[in-house]
Amino acid sequence: MRKAKLLALCTSCALAACAGDGSGLDENGRPEGESSGTLQPNFQSIQDNVFTPVCTGCHAGAAAPLGLRLDEGASYALLVNAPSVEVPSLQRVQPSNPDASYLIQKLEGTAAVGARMPLNQPALPAETIAVIRQWITDGASNNTGTGAGGSGKSRFELVELTAVSPARDEIVPGPVRDVVVTSNVELDATLLQSSVIELRASGGDGTFDSGNERAVPVDATVRSDRPSVLAITPRLAPLSADSYELRISGTDPVAMADLQARPIDGDGDGAPGGDFVLRFTVEMTQ
Ligand code: HEC
Ligand SMILES: [Ca+2]
């Protein structure tokens, strides 16, 4: 009932007035085309109208500046509660606090480091920035369902993980500050322990069974929920040149699982269980 009323209100009201309750608007059954066109203070609309058309010319793929990928599927995980590289004391997006969000500072030209975004292009219109601010003020929720790229049907039957940055088998410029993995459902954060998440360096030879591998101590944190975004951060120093293997356990004794205690389908064979293994290579260019 309440939802229907809100929807009716919002189709007729001005953008800013719509923002009061961002929840429920696009979550269920709303035709996809409806949110494109006019910019709305929700993440899918900002993705479709700003990030994809304006930013991904630079901010995509392994060479994305400062590791910030703004393509669909990566952007949310790398923005919300993710520290800025230029000013590490600030989050790129700090939910409910647009002034402290580095993304806004970069768009408004008030950031302490670097240029105003989009680089070498006219600044975004003030109304556009106001809508992005509103989305942050409303809590910066994710209405895209972005997570594992699994087929629609299996999405909620299986707990799937997806590598966001670095992507699988990717060669990325270093240093790499964190490895970001998303899931299609909310994970049980109490399972984030060293027996479940392991990062190893190859020892310089790109292989992981020659006996010279090195364990890299990491901290794992949940950056955001629903679906979960995991940031796996090397404890001592960012990752420099080598090949790396991240392993998240999907098997006993302790498997990563969701809140219903369903273990991840780490190896993607369509059945619960199996380790999630992500390999990537860091190259130092300087
Ligand atoms: C022409 C290439 C280019 C385009 C287009 C571009 N950027 Fe950037 N962006 C960069 C470069 C290069 C840097 C690093 C140097 C700097 O900040 O000036 C950067 C840095 C950033 C940072 C700082 C990241 C951090 O962790 O500190 C943010 C945030 C950002 N861009 C957002 C955007 C957004 C949002 C858009 C689209 C509206 C955009 N950029 C468009 C090239 C680009
Ligand atoms: Ca080796």
Side-chain angles (χ1 to χ4, degrees), residues 29 36 46 56 84 94 120 152 163 192 219 236 279:
S36 62
I46 294 166
T56 53
S84 149
Q94 181 179 331
N120 302 333
L192 295 177
D219 291 314
L236 304 176
R279 288 186 179 174

Side-chain angles (χ1 to χ4, degrees), residues 200-214 242-243:
R200 291 190 304 153
S202 82
D205 56 13
T207 68
F208 293 91
D209 52 9
S210 50
N212 63 342
E213 293 75 28
R214 187 170 50 83
D242 201 346
S243 293

Side-chain angles (χ1 to χ4, degrees), residues 189-250:
T190 64
L191 296 170
L192 295 177
Q193 11 169 307
S194 55
S195 58
V196 173
I197 299 190
E198 266 176 9
L199 183 64
R200 291 190 304 153
S202 82
D205 56 13
T207 68
F208 293 91
D209 52 9
S210 50
N212 63 342
E213 293 75 28
R214 187 170 50 83
V216 180
V218 293
D219 291 314
T221 51
V222 176
R223 240 176 220 178
S224 53
D225 299 325
R226 286 181 293 259
S228 291
V229 176
L230 299 185
I232 295 133
T233 312
R235 200 172 290 159
L236 304 176
L239 304 177
S240 53
D242 201 346
S243 293
Y244 294 87
E245 181 186 85
L246 174 74
R247 183 175 292 268
I248 301 180
S249 171

Side-chain angles (χ1 to χ4, degrees), residues 62 69 163-181 198-203 205-208 216 218 232-234 238-247 276-283:
R69 300 165 197 232
V164 170
S165 173
R168 195 170 291 281
D169 298 324
E170 202 169 51
I171 299 170
V172 289
V176 168
R177 287 164 186 80
D178 45 34
V179 181
V180 178
V181 171
E198 266 176 9
L199 183 64
R200 291 190 304 153
S202 82
D205 56 13
T207 68
F208 293 91
V216 180
V218 293
I232 295 133
T233 312
L239 304 177
S240 53
D242 201 346
S243 293
Y244 294 87
E245 181 186 85
L246 174 74
R247 183 175 292 268
F276 173 84
V277 179
L278 165 66
R279 288 186 179 174
F280 58 91
T281 298
V282 177
E283 273 184 359

